[in-house]
Amino acid sequence: MRNSAKVRVAVLFGGRSAEHEISLLSARFVVEALDRDRFEPVLIGIDKAGRWLLQDEALLLGAARDPRLARLNDAMPEIALDAHPGPAGEATLTVPGGARSPIDVVFPVLHGPTGEDGCVQGLLELAGVPYVGSGVLGSAVGMDKDVMKRLLREAEIPLVPHVTLRRAAWDRDSGACLEQIAALSPAGSGFGPIFVKPANLGSSVGVRRVTARAELEAAVEHAFEFDLKIVCEQGIEGVRELECAVLGDDDPIASVPGEIVVGHADGFYSYAAKYIDAEGATIRIPADLSPAEANAVQLLALRTFRALEASGMARVDLFLAPDRSLYVNEINTIPGFTAISMYPKLWEASGIPARELIARLIALALDRGARKARLRTSA
């Protein structure tokens, strides 16, 4: 790290993903929460063409909180991260005019493919710069719902019944695929509900809740518009949606659990319920659980975090069935940081306010970077 009074934090947001706009809202929260006595932000927006652009802080903080109106300033100059450390091991940005500007740590606030799936993390590893959140492996398996579920099943973590389909199999024999998905309907309960999701996306983009056989084909086609692989899951009637935040590396801690109570017409925690409809969902923190249930949620969240090689931060989403059975739904290795996002709200309710949370995440990244820098690179 440089000899400076303040840590230079490159906040990286936007990205080539359907979650681009949500990332802008998350970046706004992170920048607002930075302690300016300790940290100096450098704002870098990635547009949907993949260009890295310097961004103006005043514009970001003054932007609308509606994701439909969120935009990068694409008239700003391009910037590049040097692909290898400097002579003293420092990480540098090449700024307009060719000058180099050092940075100490990167805070990726990128959701979805190319940002949360290990791609950017690999670049940051090559550049030798510490970064907040999971590494390449944890990011990749956390993004892919299919691979994630395989690892969780191996760790004997409870999951709802599901099937994975690839585009090629669907194009070859859609009828057989539909039969395979329809078999997820619980016996004797009519059809559904079944959730159809892109395997590599978040924020409920591309997700549909299917309650009739006639809706299934359209839901599958819709999910395949966003990914070449989809996951179809058995829904549980009367299920409660719980979320638990995790913070740390080798000795992570879990927040109090929270609950999402959906009131939106979609019937689940959809993109519209999350970000568009102000009345789409109600957040309950802490969730109304017995002490034993709350403890079970926390333990499952920590087991999931470790099984998937996550680090730094994650939000683990779970289901509580009417018979009180718990199931893990998924992990989010770069959880939302918008004004309504559960990750910072859960930690605030657990005694860690936003400014302290962001500082802790940066400290974890710097510590992990320092430990990795001490590893031998020759036999």
Side-chain angles (χ1 to χ4, degrees):
M1 193 168 68
R2 296 173 307 109
N3 251 337
S4 172
K6 294 184 181 181
V7 175
R8 295 197 85 211
V9 182
V11 182
L12 194 57
F13 55 98
R16 295 160 56 194
S17 162
E19 297 179 80
H20 175 99
E21 291 76 16
I22 304 306
S23 174
L24 270 61
L25 303 187
S26 288
R28 174 180 179 155
F29 180 96
V30 171
V31 172
E32 285 178 328
L34 279 173
D35 182 347
R36 298 311 171 90
D37 292 332
R38 301 171 58 190
F39 305 113
E40 177 188 347
V42 179
L43 276 55
I44 305 172
I46 303 176
D47 70 11
K48 291 194 175 182
R51 297 182 304 156
W52 290 35
L53 306 171
L54 274 175
Q55 293 293 293
D56 178 73
E57 182 176 335
L59 184 64
L60 177 69
L61 298 183
R65 294 185 185 271
D66 186 332
R68 295 169 296 183
L69 304 176
R71 298 286 186 277
L72 286 178
N73 182 354
D74 58 10
M76 295 295 284
E78 289 194 43
I79 194 169
L81 175 67
D82 290 356
H84 57 82
E90 73 277 13
T92 53
L93 296 166
T94 300
V95 298
R100 282 179 164 76
S101 173
I103 54 173
D104 298 314
V105 63
V106 173
F107 200 127
V109 199
L110 296 159
H111 305 311
T114 75
E116 193 176 355
D117 59 359
C119 291
V120 161
Q121 289 75 14
L123 173 62
L124 300 177
E125 292 282 354
L126 289 173
V129 59
Y131 55 93
V132 171
S134 293
V136 175
L137 177 60
S139 298
V141 299
M143 186 79 252
D144 190 309
K145 294 178 178 65
D146 167 42
V147 177
M148 176 199 307
K149 290 177 186 295
R150 291 189 228 171
L151 290 174
L152 293 177
R153 185 168 53 233
E154 175 70 20
E156 299 183 341
I157 290 172
L159 305 169
V160 298
H162 62 279
V163 298
T164 298
L165 291 177
R166 298 179 183 273
R167 179 85 223 194
W170 175 253
D171 290 340
R172 186 168 54 249
D173 191 345
S174 61
C177 292
L178 288 171
E179 290 301 320
Q180 187 180 6
I181 302 169
L184 290 171
S185 288
S189 65
F191 188 88
I194 293 172
F195 289 89
V196 181
K197 309 176 177 181
N200 293 276
L201 211 55
S203 294
S204 298
V205 174
V207 178
R208 287 191 179 172
R209 179 178 184 268
V210 178
T211 56
R213 176 66 183 259
E215 302 169 350
L216 190 55
E217 183 172 357
V220 171
E221 289 285 4
H222 181 64
F224 273 131
E225 291 176 8
F226 296 93
D227 200 355
L228 297 176
K229 182 168 66 170
I230 67 172
V231 173
C232 305
E233 300 169 348
Q234 181 185 98
I236 303 173
E237 291 288 6
V239 74
R240 292 169 62 186
E241 297 194 37
L242 306 177
E243 300 190 350
C244 188
V246 181
L247 172 68
D249 278 329
D250 296 330
D251 192 20
I253 58 174
S255 72
V256 299
E259 181 173 1
I260 304 291
V261 181
V262 177
H264 193 267
D266 288 344
F268 71 104
Y269 201 30
S270 63
Y271 186 93
K274 290 177 181 178
Y275 305 114
I276 307 301
D277 182 0
E279 308 298 325
T282 302
I283 293 172
R284 293 178 181 169
I285 303 175
D288 183 14
L289 301 169
S290 71
E293 287 172 334
N295 184 61
V297 167
Q298 291 172 316
L299 290 176
L300 265 180
L302 292 171
R303 285 178 60 197
T304 299
F305 189 84
R306 292 188 175 104
L308 298 177
E309 295 288 337
S311 57
M313 61 180 175
R315 192 193 73 240
V316 179
D317 301 345
L318 307 95
F319 299 133
L320 178 63
D323 66 1
R324 316 312 285 179
S325 297
L326 279 169
Y327 303 91
V328 170
N329 178 23
E330 64 181 35
I331 194 172
N332 289 269
T333 56
I334 302 184
F337 280 93
T338 73
I340 64 167
S341 293
M342 285 287 271
Y343 188 80
K345 285 182 175 294
L346 288 168
W347 281 120
E348 185 174 15
S350 303
I352 304 177
R355 179 162 292 195
E356 181 183 346
L357 175 62
I358 299 302
R360 283 202 193 189
L361 289 168
I362 292 170
L364 284 166
L366 291 170
D367 177 68
R368 189 180 63 196
R371 286 187 284 124
K372 290 177 69 173
R374 291 194 293 268
L375 295 174
R376 291 173 56 169
T377 57
S378 54

